Amino acid sequence: MSKEKIIHAAVDVFSENGYHRASMDEIALRANVAKGTLYYHFPGKAQLFKTLVVEGFQEVIDKIRADLQANLTLEEQIRRIVRHNLDLFLESSGLAHIVFNELSNGIDQEVLEELKNLRIDYIHFLAEVLEEGKQEGLLRDVNCKLAAAGIVGMLDSAANYFMSNRHELSREHMERFFYTIITSGLIMTAGE
């Protein structure tokens, strides 16, 4: 139970303060656990951060995999990929931002490598989804890895913009907008 409390508190602290300014003391305080309990579960800040990021990505991958097995149309799969990615970026916006934009000095090199690999694996996973659509003749003949990297980068940047400008547009509007951009660029139209 305390491990879950720590994880929830850590998401908030990392999101609010960024990786470098987040402290294990504050995480323990917010989780309402003793520092010894925190260090028992997570020997350091880097390991805790890695756990949060891995779990966040795994959740999105699991949702997308479940959608793929539900025999949905390619359009609906893309709609859900957009939705799940926005969930990842908006619900734990600080974490996603750190992973996609700020991975740099100060994070244990080994953890840094694992996080970079996780990001690459995630892009490869999305590329496989797109590749399947291409093989079925539903997508244009595009470089699916480049398309996947573009989708992830675009949604990440859009989520960052949305966080600062919530008054300008709704989450639903954003979802529809990116679905339209992505599908009009990737999906074959009649007569192509």
Side-chain angles (χ1 to χ4, degrees):
M1 220 42 190
S2 56
K3 190 172 182 179
E4 283 176 26
K5 281 178 15 185
I6 292 167
I7 286 173
H8 287 297
V11 168
D12 292 341
V13 173
F14 281 122
S15 295
E16 290 164 21
N17 302 325
Y19 179 80
H20 298 293
R21 290 198 327 274
S23 77
M24 293 294 269
D25 286 353
E26 187 177 350
I27 292 167
L29 192 67
R30 291 249 195 128
N32 204 16
V33 299
K35 281 201 323 199
T37 304
L38 174 61
Y39 284 102
Y40 170 77
H41 289 293
F42 302 100
K45 183 165 79 166
Q47 288 78 11
L48 174 54
F49 181 70
K50 183 185 85 175
T51 300
L52 301 180
V53 173
V54 168
E55 286 184 6
F57 276 98
Q58 198 53 56
E59 202 175 297
V60 171
I61 288 171
D62 290 346
K63 284 178 183 173
I64 293 171
R65 278 214 172 99
D67 288 346
L68 298 182
Q69 288 160 358
N71 226 357
L72 303 170
T73 64
L74 181 67
E75 285 90 341
E76 187 56 30
Q77 286 177 21
I78 291 174
R79 188 181 309 281
R80 299 221 184 159
I81 286 169
V82 170
R83 183 174 305 139
H84 296 322
N85 274 276
L86 288 174
D87 287 345
L88 173 70
F89 296 138
L90 294 173
E91 288 170 17
S92 59
S93 59
L95 297 181
H97 177 76
I98 292 166
V99 172
F100 284 94
N101 301 311
E102 292 179 6
L103 283 183
S104 59
N105 310 328
I107 297 180
D108 180 67
Q109 195 55 44
E110 187 183 319
V111 172
L112 196 58
E113 281 305 309
E114 283 187 57
L115 293 176
K116 281 182 181 166
N117 289 336
L118 179 69
R119 181 182 193 275
I120 290 165
D121 290 347
Y122 180 63
I123 288 170
H124 286 186
F125 168 73
L126 288 182
E128 286 169 21
V129 173
L130 297 175
E131 193 65 50
E132 215 169 281
K134 190 165 97 172
Q135 297 309 321
E136 291 170 19
L138 301 170
L139 284 191
R140 298 174 201 270
D141 186 18
V142 295
N143 177 327
C144 290
K145 281 184 187 162
L146 185 60
I151 289 169
V152 170
M154 187 167 54
L155 293 173
D156 176 39
S157 295
N160 279 335
Y161 177 81
F162 177 74
M163 296 301 282
S164 311
N165 299 279
R166 286 176 185 265
H167 60 283
E168 275 184 32
L169 70 169
S170 71
R171 157 74 194 259
E172 292 71 29
H173 176 83
M174 199 162 96
E175 213 170 284
R176 280 195 312 273
F177 176 76
F178 284 103
Y179 169 78
T180 303
I181 285 180
I182 292 164
T183 53
S184 61
L186 292 178
I187 294 182
M188 295 266 246
T189 53
E192 265 190 86

